[in-house]
Amino acid sequence: MKKRGMKMKRILVGLISLSVLATGHEAEAASCKINVSYNKQFYKIDGLPIANKQYGMARSYNPGANKTMLQSYQQMKKAALKKGIVLDVVGTPGAYGYRSYATQKQLYNQYINLYGFSYASKISAKPGTSEHQLGLAMDIRDGTNFGTLNTAFEYTAASKFIHENGQRYGFIVRYLKGKEAITGFMYEPWHIRYVGVTHATRIKKENVTLEEYLGIAGRKKLSVGQYKVNGTLCKYKR
Ligand SMILES: [Zn+2]
């Protein structure tokens, strides 16, 4: 009897692991597909608006700063202030990081005149490709330190706060150190992008760029033949 019981148990365990595998496989098949859509103004990937060197916006897309982003930013600012940290948004007062196509064009041309095309394109987005035009990005400075935007920002309390807590309010630090080859931009500890709490939490946990997270570029090195889409482990088709 005892022997038979063991055998039954083995069979049961086998069945359970088979069903787990099958469910995992179905989930993988559904979410490993990258859904790109364009509404004649901007691209969305799996429902998330995107602006980068590959996916641009219409010149006429002029949404202003996103209202949900603003509410989340105000909450984050308040939380920081409780710890004596002053977050401040760089740029036109009241614009909260928003830049129109025309403003971006002006800025981009200024950088080209100052530094030449090659360097300018690493620090500034071509008009129509900036997350600032998307209305979902802001450049943050430490309110107690009014220096210009440079990588020394990472040593400020404001930088540490957004890096460690931004995801709780739906923000990610968008252009990470050492990820220049993937994002196409130099390290910008001050540039935050609003993606909502769920996505931001996953992105932060995985320490990846938005491109890697969405599975559209520079796939993070996992085991051979694997990549991630939206936090889900996928396999390359061979
Ligand atoms: Zn920026």
Side-chain angles (χ1 to χ4, degrees), residues 65 88-100 103 106 132 139 141:
D88 194 24
V89 184
V90 181
T92 315
Y96 289 97
Y98 180 70
R99 279 182 222 145
S100 67
T103 309
Q106 213 176 10
H132 289 282
D139 295 327
R141 68 180 165 193

Side-chain angles (χ1 to χ4, degrees), residues 6-23:
M6 285 290 283
K7 203 177 173 189
M8 275 302 289
K9 204 175 165 192
R10 263 210 304 274
I11 292 170
L12 268 174
V13 169
L15 281 172
I16 290 163
S17 40
L18 259 179
S19 71
V20 166
L21 274 176
T23 325

Side-chain angles (χ1 to χ4, degrees), residues 53 104 107-108 111 119-126 185 188:
K53 293 194 175 184
Q104 187 64 30
L107 197 68
Y108 186 66
Y111 281 127
Y119 186 68
S121 67
K122 282 179 202 159
I123 60 164
S124 178
K126 205 173 130 186
F185 288 101
E188 290 191 357

Side-chain angles (χ1 to χ4, degrees), residues 74-87 158 161-162 169:
Q74 296 303 348
Q75 285 172 8
M76 180 165 77
K77 191 179 161 80
K78 220 187 265 176
L81 209 54
K82 275 187 187 160
K83 294 187 175 180
I85 299 162
V86 185
L87 303 183
F161 186 86
I162 57 172
Y169 304 91

Side-chain angles (χ1 to χ4, degrees), residues 153-207:
F153 172 71
E154 79 174 345
Y155 301 110
T156 66
S159 174
K160 283 188 185 113
F161 186 86
I162 57 172
H163 188 77
E164 283 164 18
N165 303 290
Q167 73 282 359
R168 297 178 195 204
Y169 304 91
F171 291 99
I172 55 164
V173 176
R174 179 70 173 86
Y175 305 116
L176 299 171
K177 197 187 266 181
K179 302 275 188 172
E180 290 89 348
I182 295 165
T183 62
F185 288 101
M186 289 176 80
Y187 175 45
E188 290 191 357
W190 58 84
H191 179 110
I192 56 171
R193 159 73 202 264
Y194 184 72
V195 291
V197 175
T198 307
H199 291 302
T201 306
R202 286 192 205 152
I203 291 167
K204 167 77 179 164
K205 197 175 155 202
E206 289 178 22
N207 189 31

